[in-house]
Amino acid sequence: MVDHDVIVLGGGPGGHSAAQRLGQAGLDVLLAEPDGLGGASWNTGCVPTVSLWHGAKAYRLAGQARDQGINGHQPSFDWSTLQARKDQAVRTLASGVAATLKRFAVEVVPEAGQLVAPGVVEVGGRRRTARHVIVAPGAVPVRPPLDGVADNPHIVDPAALLRAPRPPARLAVIGGGLIGLELAGLFAALEVEVTVLETLAEVAPFMDQSLAKQLRQAMRPVRFKLNSRLRQIDQGTIHYTTADGRPESLTADLILLDLGRQPRFEGWGAERSGLDITPGGVVVDDGLRTNLPGVWAVGDVTGRSLFAHSAKRMGEVAAALITDPGLARRGELMRWDAIPYILHGLPEAAGVGWTEQDCRREGREVVTATAPLVLSSRFVIEQGLSAGGAVKVVAERDSRIIRGVHLFGPQAGELVWGLVALLELEATTTDVGQLVFPQPTLSEGIREACRAIRD
């Protein structure tokens, strides 16, 4: 006789969403999480970042009020208040998760669990057994093998930067990925001198690169140094080589490393588990099953998609198939091509599906069209004619089925869910062009981009 129906290792978005669904279905569930419910996303990642961004946007808008005919004193911001609001948001969301799990009788153990074998876990000082085990330990930041990184007080990871006692006067960001760009824009909005060093020819490799260029140009006053090859870091000074081979240096008060995240393989028994593991993550199928019977893996540890929202969906899929394996035949599986990304900032960026550069690399026959958001009446009303913003649509050449939509501009993150639906429903550009979009709204730009692709 087993101790539990399911044991979940990790309380991030993937782990706690799976535990919630399983508990709601009446199963006996234990969740082991040593660092607090919500995982990195809620405690040190997107939730605190978006909270601080909310304050930064209010500060920027207050500074632009005179342009709207609103007169008053020059605004200022209080960092300690922004931090207090951020911490309150984190506590509120984490307590909400805890309350939901308690409601569905999920046993939460505030310790790390160790996978010993299929159905066998060490947690809370004893071995426990279960019919199923869900592995959800998350990911860790990539640390470069570079001189001057270890024990350098000037180098911080995103979590440390978000809880800094005060904003630095100068911030250097190594890496122009999603997290680096979000935090570069955040601190620049709070009048910090920010420089981003990127080894590639353009930032945001996950985005359509034509829009990534426009986004970068819209992120003034952030300074970007592209095609920069790092040599070493000496305390607060970064030594690098420019695109034309010249050695240069840059000094900052804090240096943020944004070289990506990688699945966490330490601390939960991966090395002795017998799981099929590659450097990219635990191998799973579209139902999140691993090679071991009764063992599932969800979230960042799979390496398939390192977003909180995709981890949550993975947890839901695994829970659904544990509860009713027959759901797999009815489509309860991960659809990896329809996972959106969001980059919070001024402006925001979001998208889903294929990019034009992906299609060129893979030989896919597609047509594309880009529409500036100035074609949206609300954008003109709120942003004016000089602000940056655009929508790009990628569709199959013959069928005109939409396979990718990417945009940057205000509220991009709130619009992207509808783009996911377009991909899931395999809508064509003609279908979207014939829909009635409300006016004035920012969504009008999506329709205009689709109508720009003629049958």
Side-chain angles (χ1 to χ4, degrees):
M1 185 174 179
V2 296
D3 299 313
H4 306 278
D5 292 315
V6 185
I7 295 176
V8 182
L9 302 183
H16 75 67
S17 64
Q20 174 186 333
R21 295 302 178 98
L22 292 163
Q24 190 173 10
L27 276 65
D28 183 315
V29 183
L30 180 144
L31 186 152
E33 169 53 61
D35 298 322
L37 293 172
S41 171
W42 285 23
N43 292 290
T44 60
C46 59
V47 168
T49 299
V50 172
S51 177
L52 291 176
W53 252 121
H54 181 70
K57 288 177 181 179
Y59 174 61
R60 286 283 297 273
L61 288 173
Q64 298 166 0
R66 195 177 298 273
D67 296 337
Q68 304 295 325
I70 310 299
N71 298 318
H73 297 292
Q74 183 65 27
S76 61
F77 69 89
D78 182 79
W79 179 249
S80 61
T81 301
L82 293 178
Q83 287 281 13
R85 291 189 75 257
K86 175 204 73 176
D87 294 342
Q88 180 60 46
V90 171
R91 287 193 299 269
T92 299
L93 290 169
S95 63
V97 172
T100 300
L101 294 176
K102 182 178 180 180
R103 175 187 171 193
F104 295 123
V106 174
E107 180 184 352
V108 178
V109 179
E111 298 183 30
Q114 300 284 319
L115 179 62
V116 177
V120 183
V121 171
E122 289 182 359
V123 63
R126 54 176 278 227
R127 285 199 174 189
R128 304 192 187 211
T129 58
R131 293 184 176 87
H132 299 272
V133 176
I134 299 177
V135 177
V140 293
V142 174
R143 300 288 286 185
L146 195 68
D147 291 341
V149 171
D151 300 320
N152 187 333
H154 295 273
I155 293 178
V156 293
D157 60 16
L161 181 60
L162 288 169
R163 62 174 181 264
R166 66 189 64 83
R170 298 167 299 174
L171 173 67
V173 179
I174 298 177
L178 188 147
I179 296 173
L181 292 178
E182 285 188 340
L183 295 180
L186 168 64
F187 282 88
L190 297 175
E191 301 178 346
V192 173
E193 181 183 308
V194 181
T195 304
V196 176
L197 286 85
E198 171 57 59
T199 59
L200 301 176
E202 190 52 84
V203 298
F206 53 89
M207 284 183 65
D208 183 275
Q209 289 295 276
S210 63
L211 293 192
K213 179 179 179 180
Q214 295 181 54
L215 174 69
R216 171 174 55 82
Q217 293 171 339
M219 286 183 64
R220 296 185 180 91
V222 177
R223 295 186 299 171
F224 290 90
K225 296 183 180 295
L226 305 177
N227 294 304
S228 298
R229 186 172 298 278
L230 294 176
R231 294 162 49 211
Q232 71 176 78
I233 301 176
D234 181 12
Q235 293 301 306
T237 300
I238 304 168
H239 300 277
Y240 64 97
T241 303
T242 63
D244 56 6
R246 290 181 294 106
E248 290 191 359
S249 62
L250 167 70
T251 300
D253 301 290
L254 291 179
I255 301 169
L256 171 67
L257 292 179
D258 173 33
L259 300 179
R261 290 161 56 79
Q262 60 189 13
R264 183 193 300 272
F265 294 136
E266 297 181 355
W268 55 272
E271 65 282 353
R272 61 178 179 176
S273 66
L275 286 170
D276 184 4
I277 298 177
T278 72
V282 176
V283 178
V284 294
D285 64 11
D286 292 347
L288 290 313
R289 307 173 189 87
T290 70
N291 63 302
L292 298 180
V295 179
W296 311 66
V298 304
D300 293 353
V301 76
T302 69
R304 298 294 298 269
S305 178
L306 276 65
F307 295 122
H309 46 274
S310 50
K312 183 176 182 179
R313 179 57 185 155
M314 290 185 223
E316 292 172 348
V317 169
L321 297 184
I322 288 172
T323 305
D324 182 0
L327 290 174
R329 295 191 298 273
R330 301 195 289 276
E332 188 72 34
L333 298 169
M334 285 299 298
R335 293 184 285 278
W336 305 102
D337 288 339
I339 296 176
Y341 65 83
I342 301 175
L343 191 156
H344 299 280
L346 286 172
E348 290 185 3
V352 61
W354 298 353
T355 64
E356 186 175 3
Q357 67 264 19
D358 290 338
C359 296
R360 285 199 305 266
R361 184 172 57 250
E362 297 167 13
R364 293 168 170 163
E365 294 291 327
V366 296
V367 289
T368 68
T370 302
L373 280 183
V374 293
L375 298 177
S376 158
S377 51
R378 183 170 178 179
F379 183 87
V380 174
I381 292 167
E382 296 184 353
Q383 305 295 322
L385 295 175
S386 60
V391 181
K392 184 168 184 176
V393 174
V394 180
E396 291 182 1
R397 180 179 297 278
D398 294 333
S399 68
R400 296 297 198 263
I401 293 175
I402 298 170
R403 296 302 187 188
V405 187
H406 307 270
L407 68 157
F408 80 96
Q411 300 183 42
E414 295 299 327
L415 294 173
V416 74
W417 77 267
L419 308 180
V420 175
L422 295 180
L423 266 65
E424 289 276 16
L425 296 172
E426 295 195 327
T428 67
T429 55
T430 301
D431 293 333
V432 178
Q434 293 173 349
L435 295 176
V436 177
F437 279 65
Q439 187 183 43
T441 64
L442 296 169
S443 63
E444 295 173 78
I446 299 168
R447 182 176 186 267
E448 293 304 320
C450 288
R451 287 180 63 84
I453 297 178
R454 300 298 182 183
D455 289 334

